[in-house]
Amino acid sequence: MVDALGVAVVGFGWMGRVHTQAYARVRHHYPRLALRPELVAVAEEVPGRAEEAADRFGFATATRDWREVAADPRVQAVSITAPNFLHREIAVAMARAGKHIWIEKPVGLSLDDARAVARAVAEAGVQGTVGFNYRNAPAVEAARDLIAAGEIGTVTHVRVRLFSDYAAHPESALTWRYERERGGSGVLGDLASHGADLARFLLGDIASLTADTAIFLPERARPTGATAGHSRAAGGTPGPVENEDYVSCLLRFASGARGVLEACRVSVGEQNNYGFEVHGTTGAVFWDFRRMNELGVSRGTGYQDQPVSTVYVGPGHGEFGAFQPGAANAMGYDDLKVVEAYRFLRSVAEGVPHGATLPDAVRGAAVLDAMARSALSGAWVTPEVPA
């Protein structure tokens, strides 16, 4: 007997749609999942958008007020895909209402926000999953296993990169993403949060760091109406960009390994150039999100002139087998969110966390907080250890 689970989505931009589609697909890929998600409610403050989502995807209820979702007894689990400045308020309210939460990163605007959400989830005894989707790639999980097994020796250094051009156009609208009050940090929260999570996922905790940030496009045009995604606003009244376009960071891991994390949202010529290179005393492993189902692996006893082989992930790696029957059949971005939905629903069914958790989000937020403090002071900073 499969139990129904009433789910809601709060915030219906692109990511809200991705979560909704993941709920719709999850049992196709995981037929033995003990829960069947049912789309009960969608909340979105932009007029007409919630109704459109309900008509398109089959939500039973559409509303502009997320508080109605918190009060709805039919809703047992909620995806929080609203803008960053709403994350803390919505997540705390949902947890206190006894609802499990699947929340996008960053979890709020600050380390304090992430801690508040994690505390509310723990006190309510509900499950919380965080949208660090890149760690769900089977190739990334395979890389982590390879590193842990010592197949590249002792890790010496890593480079994590996240370059994109989504904010590179000078006519990009001055949305909430570029404001301190509503967006918090800029590329730190948007892209470097993924980088910090990948670095920790692969190599463990970060002991200290030093960072530098920059704003390369200091002004953008204010939009005259509702926006979605990364809209343009040519001719609008210009306003200041208040948070960073770029960050570079030197890392020292608790293991003794060294690292470089670099992220930019205005990199002309770069579209989702995300990845990592991990080097060890006897080998290396390389991953590029644009070739998501491949790993470059160098291992052996050659040291100098040692070749790199391409490894295509297959059913033995991570959750690949739930999507494709054989190696080198491609998975895509949306599949990573299906994996995330599965791990969220499995957490709810079993009462045990699976996948990225709120404590992971708190540790990641501590790294971002340390980056921001270091960029201001120019000093090496130790990320705060969560209580």
Side-chain angles (χ1 to χ4, degrees):
M1 181 67 178
V2 177
D3 293 328
L5 184 79
V7 301
V9 176
V10 175
F12 209 84
W14 167 65
M15 188 54 68
R17 176 179 58 78
V18 173
H19 276 232
T20 301
Q21 292 174 164
Y23 285 130
R25 293 177 53 199
V26 67
R27 281 189 52 80
H28 299 168
H29 296 280
Y30 299 95
R32 290 187 291 276
L33 183 63
L35 294 173
R36 182 182 71 255
E38 293 187 351
L39 300 177
V40 171
V42 56
E44 168 58 61
E45 66 176 11
V46 175
R49 192 178 286 176
E51 290 77 10
E52 180 183 353
D55 181 64
R56 182 177 177 185
F57 294 101
F59 289 95
T61 302
T63 178
R64 291 181 62 185
D65 188 351
W66 61 263
R67 294 168 185 82
E68 293 183 11
V69 174
D72 192 333
R74 299 172 300 167
V75 175
Q76 298 160 281
V78 180
S79 281
I80 300 171
T81 55
N84 300 349
F85 64 94
L86 296 172
H87 282 191
R88 175 175 178 166
E89 181 183 11
I90 295 172
V92 169
M94 294 298 175
R96 289 176 177 170
K99 304 182 191 307
H100 307 284
I101 64 170
W102 175 13
I103 185 169
E104 276 304 314
K105 44 56 60 187
V107 180
L109 303 181
S110 65
L111 174 57
D112 185 58
D113 282 357
R115 283 175 169 158
V117 174
R119 185 166 55 250
V121 166
E123 290 174 352
V126 296
Q127 294 298 317
T129 294
V130 183
F132 290 124
N133 40 266
Y134 299 111
R135 64 156 63 192
N136 296 325
V140 172
E141 295 187 316
R144 187 194 197 199
D145 291 344
L146 182 151
I147 293 166
E151 293 192 37
I152 62 170
T154 301
V155 173
T156 53
H157 59 102
V158 59
R159 177 173 178 255
V160 181
R161 69 185 185 283
L162 299 107
F163 299 142
S164 186
D165 65 357
Y166 68 78
H169 202 290
E171 294 179 357
S172 295
L174 187 69
T175 64
W176 60 266
R177 295 179 183 276
Y178 304 101
E179 300 174 4
R180 283 287 178 191
E181 184 176 350
R182 296 193 298 165
S185 61
V187 78
L188 278 178
D190 193 16
L191 295 182
S193 58
H194 281 301
D197 183 68
L198 281 173
R200 288 191 57 255
F201 184 71
L202 293 168
L203 302 184
D205 284 334
I206 295 165
S208 61
L209 58 84
T210 185
D212 183 36
T213 62
I215 298 173
F216 296 133
L217 292 178
E219 283 191 340
R220 298 179 186 271
R222 300 185 188 279
T224 56
T227 60
H230 304 291
S231 305
R232 296 183 189 175
T237 303
V241 172
E242 298 174 351
N243 52 32
E244 72 287 339
D245 291 323
Y246 170 85
V247 62
S248 61
C249 185
L250 298 179
L251 307 170
R252 292 173 178 166
F253 291 86
S255 66
R258 298 298 195 261
V260 176
L261 191 160
E262 191 176 15
C264 185
R265 64 188 181 187
V266 297
S267 296
V268 175
E270 301 281 14
Q271 296 85 40
N272 298 330
N273 181 359
Y274 309 153
F276 56 76
E277 301 97 41
V278 182
H279 294 266
T281 51
T282 62
V285 58
F286 311 91
W287 181 72
D288 187 326
F289 170 64
R290 297 163 301 177
R291 303 176 70 90
M292 190 179 85
N293 304 288
E294 303 176 16
L295 281 178
V297 180
S298 178
R299 52 190 164 188
T301 57
Y303 297 99
Q304 189 175 1
D305 298 326
Q306 185 164 282
V308 177
S309 300
T310 298
V311 175
Y312 298 101
V313 294
H317 299 111
E319 297 294 333
F320 187 92
F323 296 85
Q324 300 293 350
N329 287 292
M331 288 176 63
Y333 176 89
D334 284 15
D335 295 330
L336 300 184
K337 300 309 264 191
V338 176
V339 173
E340 207 165 274
Y342 163 66
R343 289 173 172 166
F344 173 50
L345 295 171
R346 186 180 171 195
S347 299
V348 173
E350 299 177 7
V352 177
H354 295 279
T357 64
L358 266 303
D360 287 321
V362 171
R363 289 188 176 275
V367 173
L368 300 183
D369 175 74
M371 288 183 191
R373 289 188 285 124
S374 176
L376 287 174
S377 68
W380 282 86
V381 174
T382 298
E384 292 188 33
V385 177

